[in-house]
Amino acid sequence: MSTTLGTTSAVAINDVSVRFRSKRAETTAIEQVSLDVAPGEFVSIVGPSGCGKSTLLKLVSGLLRPSSGSVTLLGEQVRGPRHDIGFVFQRAALLEWRSARRNILLQAEMRGMSSAEAGRRADELIEMTGLTGFENALPHELSGGMQQRVALCRALLHQPRVLLMDEPFGALDALTREQMNVELHRVWRETGTTVLLVTHSIAESVYLANRVIVLTQRPALVKEVIDVELPGERDYSATMARPEFAAATARIRDLLGAVTGHD
Amino acid sequence: MKPVSGDRWRGVAERSWRPAALLAACLVIWHLITVTGLVEAYLVPSPARTFDLLVDKWSYLWGHTWVTTYETILGFVIAGVLGVLVAVAMVYSRTVESTAYPILLFAQVIPKIAIAPLFVVWLGFGFEPKVIVAVLMAFFPVVISTVTGLKSVDAEMLELAATMGGGPVKTFVKIRFPAALPHLFAGLKVAVTLAVTGAVVGEFVGSNEGLGYVILQANGNMDTPMLFAGLIVISVVGILLFLLLDLAEQLMLPWHSSRRGAAVTTLLAKGGT
């Protein structure tokens, strides 16, 4: 997808550990994790609750500094909050007083992008994510799925080469979640963005990704990396029915069962 | 999503009839107390007499009302601007917060009526001491509510802003300040009612005009109808200023008011002030 980068990874996490110090004790959230994500790759990260998956994304975005090790994003070491990424959280985090479209455009305003270009891009994304007709709705008038679409458009407005998603569909109902998966898959195919997705859903992690990283319980270590042997273009139901899909999900379930202790 | 205007007015009517009925009931009780001679007329004048006086002495009352309103608004505006500035400084600087908080609290705890005479000694009988007392009364709620509002901003939203790279000024203007506005307005509405009290307290201490002066004079002359009239006018001034702010809030923050309730409900919820 990106030719300028050549063989450089989009994201390189090298031997990173994160320790939090509280009054009494020091806890290790992440222990010597290494991970390479190729440009244009879709990588899912799964692991038990509270294992430090979200922490990993904060490291990549520069919102959090590692206690040791280093993170490189697009060939440049991460030293503070990075502006060349898009971030989607579990909660849409929309500004209540702005319409859907103006929430998307916040990205452009904060960056000082030209408003004509930003407007065109916003309209493109609105169409791509099926928000047409809801441009002027306020967040509280939108359903959870719609709100999350707005958050996705906002994260993609500046055409970031890396998109970080922290359980973006965790708060949605199962059906909406499937729809969002299909849409995210299409958006990823269309934009060629590198995606790092943290999720609790095993099916979601496999359906969307090229690779699934399974983390252990806190402190998080990389337990195993699963290569997803599925075609690039993935129809939802057909993918679910494939033996490769079943094998990958079964393997992940086993691994998670092993790390959480109920197998 | 938006109610049709006819529905809206029906809604207002539905919400207002109870307080209106209560008000009417109070007037009836007041009337009955005075007609039955339960209380001497020189202690509690009848509603009719009070309203007659309101009409008769309208121009006299109007002049004094204007003085008090002017002092109130001036004090309120100064308190609002200062309060927001201090709150912003406190939210952005730990040092300012820890330094200013004890002084703020001290200024709030000290009885304004007790220090008002000092301002009269310093500044004379003009409008200045009244404005200062009004500022002192109104300042605290503005600071507290603005600080709360600025701190209530979603942490994830601020993290998101950091990845957007707009810098602290844009983050403040586009995210933090607008997010704090509902809290700020709540503080301003309390503040404006306190500013009225502040102005009247200032007038009590030393003045020759304003509604506080009117009440003090009426008290000295045992002129209870005038005293009651003065009280009614003060209340009306406070309520009108409050409703004005409520209206401003609804116009400026339609996204917020649409989920809250209308003016009358808020007024009742804050009844004590």
Side-chain angles (χ1 to χ4, degrees), chain B residues 79 108 112-113 132-141 190-191 193-195 197-199 201:
Chain B
Q108 171 64 10
K112 257 53 96 193
I113 192 142
I132 290 180
V133 179
V135 170
L136 285 177
M137 293 283 283
F139 181 66
F140 198 68
V190 175
T193 59
L194 290 175
T197 311
V201 163

Short mmCIF file of all heavy atoms in Angstrom, two decimals, chain B residues 79 108 112-113 132-141 190-191 193-195 197-199 201:
data_model
loop_
_atom_site.label_atom_id
_atom_site.label_comp_id
_atom_site.label_asym_id
_atom_site.label_seq_id
_atom_site.Cartn_x
_atom_site.Cartn_y
_atom_site.Cartn_z
N ALA B 79 -18.27 39.84 38.39
CA ALA B 79 -18.05 38.55 39.05
C ALA B 79 -17.95 37.43 38.01
O ALA B 79 -17.12 36.53 38.14
CB ALA B 79 -19.19 38.25 40.02
N GLN B 108 -15.30 33.75 50.75
CA GLN B 108 -16.68 33.28 50.67
C GLN B 108 -17.29 33.14 52.06
O GLN B 108 -18.45 33.46 52.27
CB GLN B 108 -16.72 31.93 49.93
CG GLN B 108 -18.04 31.22 49.97
CD GLN B 108 -19.15 32.01 49.26
OE1 GLN B 108 -18.89 32.99 48.60
NE2 GLN B 108 -20.38 31.56 49.45
N LYS B 112 -20.66 38.82 54.19
CA LYS B 112 -20.58 40.03 53.37
C LYS B 112 -21.19 41.22 54.09
O LYS B 112 -20.70 42.34 53.98
CB LYS B 112 -21.30 39.79 52.04
CG LYS B 112 -20.37 39.54 50.87
CD LYS B 112 -19.37 38.45 51.09
CE LYS B 112 -19.83 37.13 50.52
NZ LYS B 112 -19.04 36.00 50.98
N ILE B 113 -22.26 40.96 54.84
CA ILE B 113 -22.94 42.07 55.52
C ILE B 113 -22.02 42.70 56.57
O ILE B 113 -22.11 43.88 56.87
CB ILE B 113 -24.28 41.61 56.13
CG1 ILE B 113 -25.11 42.82 56.58
CG2 ILE B 113 -24.08 40.65 57.28
CD1 ILE B 113 -26.57 42.65 56.33
N ILE B 132 -19.36 46.21 44.77
CA ILE B 132 -18.34 45.32 45.33
C ILE B 132 -18.98 44.19 46.14
O ILE B 132 -18.58 43.03 46.03
CB ILE B 132 -17.33 46.13 46.19
CG1 ILE B 132 -16.49 47.00 45.25
CG2 ILE B 132 -16.43 45.19 47.00
CD1 ILE B 132 -15.46 47.84 45.94
N VAL B 133 -19.97 44.52 46.93
CA VAL B 133 -20.64 43.47 47.71
C VAL B 133 -21.32 42.47 46.77
O VAL B 133 -21.24 41.25 46.97
CB VAL B 133 -21.66 44.07 48.71
CG1 VAL B 133 -22.36 42.95 49.49
CG2 VAL B 133 -20.97 45.01 49.68
N ALA B 134 -21.95 43.00 45.70
CA ALA B 134 -22.59 42.10 44.73
C ALA B 134 -21.55 41.18 44.09
O ALA B 134 -21.78 39.98 43.92
CB ALA B 134 -23.31 42.92 43.66
N VAL B 135 -20.39 41.74 43.75
CA VAL B 135 -19.31 40.94 43.15
C VAL B 135 -18.90 39.83 44.12
O VAL B 135 -18.79 38.66 43.76
CB VAL B 135 -18.10 41.80 42.77
CG1 VAL B 135 -16.90 40.93 42.39
CG2 VAL B 135 -18.44 42.75 41.64
N LEU B 136 -18.68 40.23 45.37
CA LEU B 136 -18.23 39.25 46.37
C LEU B 136 -19.24 38.11 46.55
O LEU B 136 -18.87 36.96 46.73
CB LEU B 136 -17.99 39.94 47.71
CG LEU B 136 -16.71 40.78 47.80
CD1 LEU B 136 -16.63 41.47 49.15
CD2 LEU B 136 -15.48 39.91 47.57
N MET B 137 -20.53 38.47 46.49
CA MET B 137 -21.57 37.45 46.66
C MET B 137 -21.60 36.51 45.45
O MET B 137 -21.80 35.31 45.60
CB MET B 137 -22.95 38.11 46.79
CG MET B 137 -23.15 38.92 48.04
SD MET B 137 -23.45 37.92 49.51
CE MET B 137 -25.16 37.44 49.26
N ALA B 138 -21.44 37.07 44.26
CA ALA B 138 -21.68 36.30 43.03
C ALA B 138 -20.44 35.55 42.55
O ALA B 138 -20.55 34.59 41.78
CB ALA B 138 -22.18 37.24 41.93
N PHE B 139 -19.28 35.97 42.99
CA PHE B 139 -18.02 35.46 42.47
C PHE B 139 -17.84 33.95 42.71
O PHE B 139 -17.53 33.19 41.80
CB PHE B 139 -16.90 36.25 43.14
CG PHE B 139 -15.52 35.87 42.71
CD1 PHE B 139 -15.10 36.09 41.41
CD2 PHE B 139 -14.62 35.30 43.60
CE1 PHE B 139 -13.83 35.76 41.00
CE2 PHE B 139 -13.35 34.96 43.21
CZ PHE B 139 -12.95 35.19 41.90
N PHE B 140 -18.06 33.53 43.95
CA PHE B 140 -17.75 32.17 44.36
C PHE B 140 -18.47 31.08 43.53
O PHE B 140 -17.81 30.19 43.00
CB PHE B 140 -18.03 32.01 45.85
CG PHE B 140 -17.37 30.81 46.46
CD1 PHE B 140 -15.99 30.75 46.58
CD2 PHE B 140 -18.12 29.75 46.92
CE1 PHE B 140 -15.37 29.64 47.16
CE2 PHE B 140 -17.52 28.64 47.49
CZ PHE B 140 -16.14 28.60 47.61
N PRO B 141 -19.81 31.19 43.39
CA PRO B 141 -20.46 30.14 42.59
C PRO B 141 -19.97 30.08 41.14
O PRO B 141 -19.94 28.99 40.55
CB PRO B 141 -21.94 30.52 42.64
CG PRO B 141 -22.01 31.88 43.21
CD PRO B 141 -20.78 32.10 44.01
N VAL B 190 -27.15 30.93 39.76
CA VAL B 190 -27.09 31.11 41.22
C VAL B 190 -26.48 32.48 41.51
O VAL B 190 -26.96 33.23 42.36
CB VAL B 190 -26.24 30.00 41.88
CG1 VAL B 190 -26.08 30.28 43.37
CG2 VAL B 190 -26.88 28.65 41.65
N ALA B 191 -25.44 32.82 40.75
CA ALA B 191 -24.71 34.05 41.00
C ALA B 191 -25.59 35.28 40.83
O ALA B 191 -25.51 36.23 41.61
CB ALA B 191 -23.50 34.14 40.06
N THR B 193 -28.77 35.66 41.28
CA THR B 193 -29.70 35.87 42.41
C THR B 193 -28.93 36.38 43.63
O THR B 193 -29.43 37.20 44.39
CB THR B 193 -30.45 34.58 42.77
OG1 THR B 193 -29.48 33.57 43.10
CG2 THR B 193 -31.28 34.08 41.62
N LEU B 194 -27.69 35.90 43.79
CA LEU B 194 -26.87 36.37 44.91
C LEU B 194 -26.43 37.82 44.69
O LEU B 194 -26.27 38.58 45.65
CB LEU B 194 -25.65 35.48 45.08
CG LEU B 194 -25.93 34.07 45.60
CD1 LEU B 194 -24.66 33.23 45.60
CD2 LEU B 194 -26.53 34.14 47.00
N ALA B 195 -26.23 38.19 43.43
CA ALA B 195 -25.82 39.57 43.14
C ALA B 195 -26.91 40.54 43.56
O ALA B 195 -26.63 41.63 44.08
CB ALA B 195 -25.50 39.72 41.66
N THR B 197 -29.02 40.11 46.05
CA THR B 197 -28.88 40.18 47.50
C THR B 197 -27.70 41.09 47.87
O THR B 197 -27.82 41.92 48.77
CB THR B 197 -28.63 38.77 48.09
OG1 THR B 197 -29.60 37.89 47.54
CG2 THR B 197 -28.72 38.77 49.59
N GLY B 198 -26.59 40.91 47.16
CA GLY B 198 -25.40 41.71 47.44
C GLY B 198 -25.68 43.20 47.29
O GLY B 198 -25.31 44.00 48.16
N ALA B 199 -26.33 43.56 46.21
CA ALA B 199 -26.63 44.98 45.97
C ALA B 199 -27.52 45.53 47.07
O ALA B 199 -27.27 46.62 47.60
CB ALA B 199 -27.30 45.14 44.60
N VAL B 201 -27.89 44.35 50.15
CA VAL B 201 -27.12 44.41 51.40
C VAL B 201 -26.26 45.67 51.41
O VAL B 201 -26.19 46.40 52.40
CB VAL B 201 -26.24 43.14 51.54
CG1 VAL B 201 -25.14 43.35 52.59
CG2 VAL B 201 -27.10 41.95 51.93
#
